[in-house]
Amino acid sequence: MPRTIETRVTEEDKKIETSLRPQTLSSYIGQSQIKEGVSIAIEAAKARGEALDHVLLYGPPGLGKTTLAGILSNEMGTHLKVTSGPAIEKSAEMAAILNSLQEGDLLFIDEIHRLNRQVEEVLYPAMEDFCIDVIIGKDSSSSSRSVRLPLPHFTLVGATTRAGLLTAPLRDRFGLIYKLEFYTVPELTQIIMASADKLEVTISLDGAKELARRSRGTPRLANRILKRVRDYAQVRYDGAITGEIAVEALDMMAVDRLGLDHVDRNILSTIIKKFDGGPVGLDTLAAATGEDPGTIEDVYEPYLVLNGFINRTPKGRVATDNAYRHMGL
């Protein structure tokens, strides 16, 4: 049975990704419009001696939102504090995090759309007026009162795969909002060549291009595939990755020429065979494929829609003619 490339992130993958991440804007490949806008904002903030404006980054997973947050911190010469929406359950926890920041620090909140409403409301005055409101005494007591405490000027960088789930009051408080797009094959080829150099892997240009074509426009997956193909080349050959070895390894790993893996093909096959090409609702599709609805919507669907395999309609997901041809049906 062929091995497959897992789209989900393991702890080992996180360590690899951290070591391969660029540290400066000049070494960050792709997303040219975002780089230009961020570069101008950083230069202006430094010239004024102010903290960078709050930044919201959104787009499919694996495109470099966390990496870009680290670069912003490095370019501004400030400390980076990292947390995530699901990790902050109480407003007091958010207040404690904000109170621990120093002047100019950058607070990165991943999956910011998953903050609960009470926690989110603590951010409103913090982002706008750089202060937090603290209740002294019990809420039900007549002697309780609200005290406004000042905060150092900081930068909040929020990352989300589902910008539509952000509330309008929170979204409107971000001064810089950027959508990360899927990467082109030439951009991914550069990323793979740079990562191979860091990993001390010998790879030909043809080999890098083949990996790039099958990486679904996603740097995270490109680096993960590079590591798997490196292992294959090391065990079966002399360790160097050529175009032929890359094709052989990726075919064995069940990653096809457009980067679709077994889950992608299962989704397309299910829509076509079980539901006559659709339309089919997300929850029904998830139950039929055994996948989580959020995983389908956030991880797999964006690439399938981008490549014209699936159409989203008011009645549900519909397989396109491209899907039938790609699946040989």
Side-chain angles (χ1 to χ4, degrees), residues 289-303:
T289 57
E291 294 290 331
D292 177 72
T295 302
I296 291 178
E297 190 171 26
D298 295 341
V299 178
Y300 296 103
E301 252 189 11
Y303 188 72

Side-chain angles (χ1 to χ4, degrees), residues 31-233:
Q31 311 294 346
S32 56
Q33 287 187 326
I34 296 177
K35 282 174 62 176
E36 184 178 5
V38 164
S39 177
I40 292 172
I42 289 172
E43 190 173 340
K46 282 184 172 181
R48 293 192 300 266
E50 299 175 356
L52 185 66
D53 206 351
H54 304 302
V55 183
L56 176 64
L57 305 172
Y58 70 98
L63 297 187
K65 295 183 285 294
T66 304
T67 298
L68 195 52
I71 288 175
L72 293 177
S73 176
N74 291 337
E75 295 286 351
M76 290 296 296
T78 61
H79 296 101
L80 174 66
K81 190 174 186 67
V82 179
T83 186
S84 68
I88 308 171
E89 298 179 351
K90 299 178 181 178
S91 56
E93 295 172 348
M94 176 59 79
I97 292 173
L98 293 171
N99 202 43
S100 69
L101 298 175
Q102 299 178 5
E103 189 72 22
D105 278 1
L106 192 147
L107 173 62
F108 176 65
I109 303 180
D110 198 10
E111 298 184 90
I112 194 170
H113 65 276
R114 294 178 63 182
L115 286 173
N116 66 53
R117 189 58 57 87
Q118 290 74 27
V119 172
E120 185 179 304
E121 288 176 354
V122 175
L123 284 176
Y124 296 163
M127 294 175 69
E128 206 161 36
D129 303 320
F130 298 103
C131 62
I132 52 175
D133 295 318
V134 178
I135 303 295
I136 297 178
K138 294 184 178 179
D139 293 346
S140 59
S141 172
S142 59
S143 62
S144 65
R145 57 194 177 92
S146 175
V147 177
R148 178 157 283 200
L149 301 178
L151 292 172
H153 287 65
F154 71 98
T155 299
L156 175 64
V157 178
T160 176
T161 56
R162 308 179 74 178
L165 295 184
L166 285 179
T167 62
L170 180 58
R171 185 172 58 247
D172 292 345
R173 282 170 169 80
F174 287 98
L176 303 169
I177 301 178
Y178 297 114
K179 179 184 179 182
L180 277 74
E181 303 287 352
F182 284 108
Y183 287 64
T184 64
V185 170
E187 288 170 345
L188 285 174
T189 301
Q190 291 183 59
I191 291 171
I192 290 169
M193 294 294 284
S195 296
D197 186 56
K198 291 178 182 177
L199 293 172
E200 299 182 351
V201 175
T202 302
I203 186 169
S204 69
L205 182 59
D206 288 342
K209 286 181 178 177
E210 189 62 36
L211 298 189
R213 278 192 289 267
R214 304 198 193 196
S215 295
R216 303 168 60 89
T218 307
R220 177 186 293 165
L221 188 57
N223 286 330
R224 200 170 310 152
I225 286 177
L226 171 63
K227 182 174 181 291
R228 303 292 179 260
V229 175
R230 174 194 64 176
D231 295 343
Y232 182 88

Side-chain angles (χ1 to χ4, degrees), residues 270-272 274-282 284-285 310-320 324:
T270 299
I271 295 175
I272 292 171
K274 290 186 179 180
F275 300 100
D276 296 325
V280 55
L282 177 61
T284 304
L285 179 60
I310 288 179
N311 284 331
R312 288 174 173 170
T313 72
K315 293 183 178 180
R317 278 63 178 168
V318 177
T320 65
Y324 279 85

